Amino acid sequence: MQARARQAVKAFDLLPVLDYKSPAGKPSCVTVAGNDVYVGYTSGHVRHFLVSSSTSASGRTKYQVRYLDEMIGSSKKSISKIVVAPTIARIIGLAENQVFVGDMFSMVGAQTYGRSTPKSVTFISVNEASTSYDLEIAVCQARKKSVLLMMVTAERFITKQEISNLQAVPQKVLWHGSVLLLAYEGYYSVYDLMSRTELELFPYNTTTTSPLMKTLGEGEIYMNGDGLGMIINESGDVCRAPIAWINQPKFVCYSKPYIVGISQSSIQVYSLIDQQLKQKSGFNDAMSAGDFAGNIFIITEEQIYMLLPVPAEEQVERLLDSGNLDQAMALAEETLGSLTRSKSSRLKALRQRAANQYWTRGDLEEAFSLFTKTHTPPAKIYCLYDTLFTATTAGVSVAGLPEVSVAGLPEDKMRDYHVFLLQYVSKTGVRTEELNTIEFKLVALTDPDKILDLLKEKRPMDMKCVVSFLKTEGFLYMLGVYYASCGFVSEAVDQWRELEESEMQTRDPRYPGLRCIVDLLLSTNIQAVIMSNVEWLISRDPDRTLHLLVSTSAELNNDHILNLLVERPLHIVAFLEELVINQRTDINRYHTQLAQQYLTLLLSPHTTRQRALLLRKKLQAHLLTSDKYAVSLILNKIQGTVLKKELAILYGKLQEHDKALKVLVYDVHDLQSAEEYCREWPTGRKELHLLLLNIYLNCDKPDQQDTLLERAVEFLNDRLSVFNYSEVYKIIPRDWPISLIEPFVYRSLGCQAHHYRTSRIVKGLSELEWASVRAVKVGYTRRTVKITDGTYCAFCFHPFSDSNCSVATNGEVYHTQCISQIT
């Protein structure tokens, strides 16, 4: 497991930088501040070393460490802890519970601290999250269960706060911002300085594990567990997976993004990105270790080693070279993601390189993410796709991108590449003619059903390229759609005509049939295109063609269309109905032709009864409402047929109403139709009703006289009948009793009374209006108008020569002859 997790390149180089002869005692602790290294010994000595670097001719960096000076602690006992404060130039050491202070450069003990120095100290921790100029330290005191939070200045120790309510005496403490991490005998806890509350974290085995705490940066803290390294945040919550150490470390150092554990026999390097082992090397007899700004120093009894991190960029490049793209990108994002502009540009180049490699091996999701982050122009990716649209299987290498061959890929994998590029183009939002053309091709190859939606947007594309592509790929129906979207309606119709005339098995399956041509012609209404295709359309689908002809707003050659429809009487009737009834044409021949077509179909023996009834109603309505047809011509065709009601309508059109009504009454015996004739005729209804009443009353056919007399009474009493009542009283038989025609009498008297009263009201209103007008006129004529030499006509602007004048309602004065011109 661990071996598989190792990274392909090493993260650190172990360099021996100084061999020295140790004074009495062994190294016990080390601390680093910039180029200054301070080593504490069991003899009470503190030695100061200076680290310097140089670059060789081969470009490699070399490090040298030289001994500068040393000091002896106040007790001359083993030194367990050293901290430095560069801002106040002080070094602080802890030797067997006693604290001493010295100058970090001259290595001379400082005498000014005196009684302010804390006593009985078991452990010292620097607040690495402090922003203060002076040094902030946490001090554990052995004689009581307390921790002092102190400020170290250039001259004294200042106690800021005392934490005295602890559970036990801490073995070790780590001060980080607003919390204290405490290591007790067998367990860890966190103490919140703001709320003064303590929370127990997790236990550890005191026989196998020594307490160890280390600040990792960005609010994360490492704590030694039983075989595991726990990583928590300031609240005490675990924020990363634990480190599964191979060997329990004695010392832990941090160099972003790695945590280094130094045990009795090895150096282990784990990444905080995935908590996996990345590097392991044997190392014995480490006495102490410390880190500063990513550089790690390891002290043995007679030598100082430097664990030098390999530059992050170099690590990333080596990982890319070895094909470990995921590790390379995780490391690059962690180490270079928030650096300077120059580093950021380098990160962009690494991302670009990784994106290309992901793309090459088919990891398109990762490639998409990195291409997006680097804002790679789509044109740089398009050049790799040339083989997607050709038959070649040769690889391509363009603009530094890796060589790849995709033409030989399986169909599903090639489609993945198409979808990848399509998604990338859509995300970038770039819209140029070239990109629109490529996007159109990709949509056609991945999801042809969306081509219509894309064409509706009418994006500019390379028409020649699109046409060639659609023909090559067999998208012949879509080619017509594309022509139509570009305004080339004739070309679109020609393309679809070829499809319509092709064999069914070779036809584009997306072709919906002839309706697409009709819909296009109907939406564009281009006369020339419609007329050039109408004969072909009629031969293929006369019903759809008729829908086009009657629905289009284009000016058509109606005579030519009627000639084409001559063998289809039902269609020609429908087209003539559109012209005559809906468009209300004034052309007489169309009205006449419609009547003739009705007659032809109505008298045809092949016409069904149901259709004949409908046609007869249409014929009657047309004969009755139209005034444009040749009445005499239609009359000649109808005479001698069974169409007596239509014959009556034609007599009526010739103003021969007497003949019309007699046909209905005597020949057809359809008294109801005769009465409807009188009521529906556009003009002279009172006269027609009177005429029909005369026919009822003066029948010369004995077998019908009684029936017609009875009908005459019903006709008179019918409320729908309208008469000139005075004329009716002249012709009705005088021997009829009033009771026989009582409804008629009451209705006639009521109408007469109503007419009388209405006329009286109208007369009264007219007289009132006339009186009002006369009053206004009198008011005008009684006004005095003064004419002087300075009075001028408001129309001609000339003076008045006499007193004759006219005055308008607005008071302006005119010559009498001028006012007549105005009115």
Side-chain angles (χ1 to χ4, degrees):
M1 294 289 293
Q2 295 289 354
R4 287 197 299 271
R6 290 196 188 183
Q7 159 170 318
V9 296
K10 62 182 179 179
F12 293 91
D13 289 321
L14 183 64
L15 304 177
V17 292
L18 179 66
D19 294 324
Y20 63 93
K21 183 178 181 181
S22 175
K26 298 179 180 179
S28 58
C29 58
V30 63
T31 190
V32 184
N35 294 329
D36 298 288
V37 180
Y38 299 88
V39 182
Y41 295 86
T42 57
S43 62
H45 290 76
V46 178
R47 305 191 74 182
H48 179 200
F49 300 91
L50 183 65
V51 180
S52 60
S53 63
S54 61
T55 304
S56 64
S58 61
R60 296 181 60 87
T61 301
K62 294 183 178 181
Y63 290 88
Q64 299 85 30
V65 178
R66 58 191 178 94
Y67 166 72
L68 293 181
D69 207 343
E70 71 178 12
M71 67 178 289
I72 301 176
S74 58
S75 64
K76 297 183 180 181
K77 295 180 180 179
S78 178
I79 299 175
S80 59
K81 183 73 173 179
I82 303 174
V83 297
V84 293
T87 56
I88 57 176
R90 290 291 182 263
I91 178 172
I92 303 171
L94 177 62
E96 296 190 4
N97 300 340
Q98 295 183 12
V99 175
F100 62 91
V101 183
D103 187 286
M104 65 178 291
F105 298 114
S106 65
M107 300 299 285
V108 176
Q111 306 300 321
T112 61
Y113 289 85
R115 293 183 179 180
S116 67
T117 305
K119 304 298 190 294
S120 300
V121 176
T122 60
F123 196 77
I124 298 174
S125 174
V126 176
N127 182 9
E128 297 183 9
S130 173
T131 58
S132 173
Y133 175 81
D134 296 318
L135 180 67
E136 290 184 337
I137 62 172
V139 177
C140 291
Q141 292 185 303
R143 55 190 174 88
K144 52 184 178 179
K145 301 176 183 179
S146 67
V147 175
L148 296 178
L149 304 183
M150 308 190 76
M151 182 81 73
V152 183
T153 68
E155 298 179 350
R156 57 181 297 191
F157 287 87
I158 302 173
T159 301
K160 296 177 60 180
Q161 186 177 351
E162 181 176 359
I163 311 301
S164 58
N165 57 344
L166 300 176
Q167 303 174 17
V169 178
Q171 294 186 3
K172 291 185 179 180
V173 63
L174 188 147
W175 186 8
H176 188 79
S178 61
V179 297
L180 289 178
L181 281 302
L182 305 170
Y184 294 108
E185 184 73 22
Y187 68 94
Y188 292 99
S189 71
V190 57
Y191 186 92
D192 191 318
L193 297 175
M194 304 298 292
S195 63
R196 291 182 174 270
T197 57
E198 188 172 2
L199 174 66
E200 186 173 330
L201 297 179
F202 59 89
Y204 63 90
N205 190 338
T206 56
T207 60
T208 59
T209 305
S210 59
L212 181 60
M213 296 181 288
K214 172 69 178 177
T215 301
L216 302 181
E218 300 180 0
E220 295 182 337
I221 301 163
Y222 169 84
M223 306 178 96
N224 241 5
D226 296 334
L228 297 174
M230 306 301 293
I231 301 174
I232 66 172
N233 56 26
E234 296 178 3
S235 301
D237 300 323
V238 176
C239 56
R240 293 183 187 267
I243 304 295
W245 298 109
I246 299 176
N247 299 315
Q248 187 75 32
K250 293 167 54 181
F251 312 104
V252 171
C253 298
Y254 173 68
S255 178
K256 184 179 181 180
Y258 301 108
I259 183 169
V260 180
I262 304 164
S263 67
Q264 190 64 35
S265 60
S266 65
I267 298 174
Q268 306 163 69
V269 179
Y270 282 80
S271 172
L272 288 180
I273 300 173
D274 56 9
Q275 293 76 48
Q276 298 297 318
L277 179 66
K278 301 301 180 183
Q279 184 178 341
K280 184 177 182 294
S281 58
F283 192 86
N284 298 320
D285 302 326
M287 307 297 294
S288 184
D291 61 73
F292 184 84
N295 294 326
I296 299 174
F297 290 89
I298 304 175
I299 310 300
T300 66
E301 190 170 348
E302 294 184 352
Q303 198 163 25
I304 298 177
Y305 290 88
M306 189 174 184
L307 201 59
L308 183 66
V310 176
E313 296 179 37
E314 184 177 335
Q315 293 184 55
V316 173
E317 288 181 347
R318 289 179 181 177
L319 287 170
L320 292 176
D321 291 339
S322 62
N324 293 280
L325 304 185
D326 294 340
Q327 292 188 37
M329 282 298 95
L331 180 60
E333 298 293 341
E334 184 72 20
T335 57
L336 303 176
S338 59
L339 298 179
T340 61
R341 179 176 297 181
S342 60
K343 293 290 185 181
S344 297
S345 62
R346 183 57 185 155
L347 174 61
K348 180 178 180 180
L350 293 172
R351 284 173 173 168
Q352 179 71 67
R353 181 179 171 188
N356 298 339
Q357 290 183 246
Y358 275 127
W359 190 92
T360 302
R361 71 186 192 187
D363 294 334
L364 301 182
E365 184 176 350
E366 291 80 1
F368 184 92
S369 175
L370 291 175
F371 278 134
T372 302
K373 286 182 178 179
T374 54
H375 303 288
T376 303
K380 286 190 176 181
I381 308 176
Y382 288 156
C383 57
L384 291 174
Y385 282 80
D386 290 341
T387 53
L388 293 176
F389 307 117
T390 62
T392 180
T393 58
V396 294
S397 180
V398 185
L401 299 179
E403 184 172 328
V404 62
S405 174
V406 293
L409 292 175
E411 185 69 25
D412 58 339
K413 192 63 177 177
M414 185 178 291
R415 188 180 186 281
D416 291 342
Y417 275 92
H418 290 313
V419 173
F420 162 81
L421 184 54
L422 181 60
Q423 291 176 345
Y424 186 76
V425 173
S426 301
K427 186 176 181 63
T428 58
V430 179
R431 291 291 177 265
T432 64
E433 181 178 289
E434 179 187 7
L435 299 190
N436 290 337
T437 303
I438 295 297
E439 183 176 3
F440 177 82
K441 293 179 179 180
L442 293 171
V443 170
L445 292 171
T446 56
D447 194 352
D449 294 336
K450 292 184 178 180
I451 293 182
L452 292 176
D453 296 333
L454 199 62
L455 290 176
K456 289 178 182 178
E457 299 180 16
K458 295 185 178 181
R459 299 179 185 175
M461 294 187 288
D462 185 341
M463 186 172 185
K464 182 178 180 181
C465 184
V466 171
V467 170
S468 175
F469 168 78
L470 292 175
K471 287 183 178 179
T472 303
E473 297 296 329
F475 296 113
L476 301 181
Y477 167 64
M478 293 303 176
L479 177 57
V481 175
Y482 176 65
Y483 276 136
S485 68
C486 295
F488 295 94
V489 178
S490 179
E491 288 77 0
V493 174
D494 291 343
Q495 179 62 44
W496 288 337
R497 281 184 63 167
E498 291 182 14
L499 282 175
E500 181 68 24
E501 294 170 351
S502 63
E503 297 293 334
M504 184 65 69
Q505 59 271 20
T506 62
R507 187 179 296 176
D508 186 344
R510 296 176 186 83
Y511 174 63
L514 193 66
R515 63 180 176 85
C516 66
I517 300 178
V518 175
D519 292 343
L520 176 61
L521 295 176
L522 192 57
S523 64
T524 54
N525 295 311
I526 302 176
Q527 177 190 11
V529 181
I530 294 176
M531 293 307 301
S532 62
N533 291 278
V534 67
E535 184 174 1
W536 178 82
L537 286 171
I538 290 173
S539 66
R540 303 294 294 194
D541 192 338
D543 292 335
R544 289 188 184 277
T545 308
L546 179 64
H547 171 69
L548 167 66
L549 296 175
V550 300
S551 302
T552 183
S553 60
E555 294 291 336
L556 304 178
N557 186 339
N558 297 324
D559 292 334
H560 178 63
I561 293 172
L562 290 172
N563 289 333
L564 296 175
L565 294 173
V566 69
E567 296 181 359
R568 294 179 170 83
L570 293 178
H571 294 87
I572 200 170
V573 165
F575 185 67
L576 285 170
E577 286 177 342
E578 172 65 21
L579 295 178
V580 173
I581 300 173
N582 296 333
Q583 297 183 15
R584 300 181 183 278
T585 180
D586 291 332
I587 301 177
N588 295 343
R589 66 175 180 276
Y590 295 150
H591 288 254
T592 303
Q593 190 173 358
L594 178 59
Q596 289 176 321
Q597 290 295 326
Y598 281 146
L599 280 173
T600 301
L601 289 173
L602 191 57
L603 299 175
S604 171
H606 302 294
T607 304
T608 63
R609 176 177 176 79
Q610 185 177 1
R611 183 180 293 277
L613 291 174
L614 177 62
L615 286 171
R616 189 169 188 186
K617 288 182 179 180
K618 288 184 176 182
L619 175 61
Q620 291 174 2
H622 178 57
L623 295 178
L624 186 63
T625 57
S626 175
D627 294 324
K628 304 295 182 182
Y629 59 89
V631 179
S632 300
L633 177 63
I634 304 302
L635 182 61
N636 291 334
K637 288 183 175 289
I638 284 183
Q639 283 180 338
T641 68
V642 296
L643 303 177
K644 300 299 182 178
K645 190 172 182 179
E646 289 76 5
L647 182 62
I649 295 174
L650 291 173
Y651 278 135
K653 285 292 182 179
L654 295 174
Q655 300 301 316
E656 297 178 2
H657 299 295
D658 183 57
K659 289 183 178 180
L661 292 174
K662 287 180 177 180
V663 167
L664 294 174
V665 174
Y666 298 147
D667 297 341
V668 183
H669 306 293
D670 189 352
L671 305 182
Q672 183 178 355
S673 295
E675 293 172 8
E676 288 177 357
Y677 177 92
C678 298
R679 291 167 185 155
E680 294 175 1
W681 198 260
T683 59
R685 293 181 182 178
K686 289 183 179 181
E687 290 76 8
L688 291 176
H689 279 74
L690 187 63
L691 180 60
L692 180 58
L693 182 60
N694 263 315
I695 294 175
Y696 284 162
L697 296 175
N698 301 306
C699 176
D700 55 358
K701 296 183 178 181
D703 58 333
Q704 297 185 25
Q705 286 179 355
D706 294 340
T707 302
L708 293 182
L709 285 175
E710 292 178 4
R711 189 66 179 184
V713 173
E714 294 176 2
F715 187 47
L716 280 172
N717 292 331
D718 193 340
R719 295 182 59 85
L720 298 178
S721 300
V722 292
F723 295 99
N724 187 334
Y725 297 105
S726 60
E727 296 296 327
V728 171
Y729 283 113
K730 294 178 181 179
I731 65 172
I732 60 176
R734 296 187 177 277
D735 57 347
W736 280 8
I738 295 298
S739 59
L740 184 64
I741 56 173
E742 183 177 357
F744 170 75
V745 172
Y746 278 116
R747 191 170 71 256
S748 64
L749 293 176
C751 289
Q752 291 293 344
H754 174 72
H755 176 69
Y756 173 75
R757 295 183 187 120
T758 303
S759 61
R760 291 292 300 273
I761 293 172
V762 171
K763 180 180 179 182
L765 292 174
S766 300
E767 290 176 350
L768 179 62
E769 179 69 19
W770 172 238
S772 176
V773 171
R774 289 188 63 187
V776 173
K777 181 179 179 181
V778 169
Y780 284 133
T781 56
R782 289 182 177 179
R783 290 170 55 186
T784 302
V785 179
K786 187 177 181 180
I787 303 299
T788 65
D789 293 340
T791 304
Y792 294 88
C793 175
F795 178 76
C796 66
F797 302 107
H798 288 90
F800 290 87
S801 58
D802 52 30
S803 60
N804 292 327
C805 66
S806 298
V807 183
T809 56
N810 59 3
E812 292 182 340
V813 183
Y814 296 86
H815 289 119
T816 302
Q817 63 273 19
C818 291
I819 195 68
S820 61
Q821 297 183 44
I822 298 174
T823 58

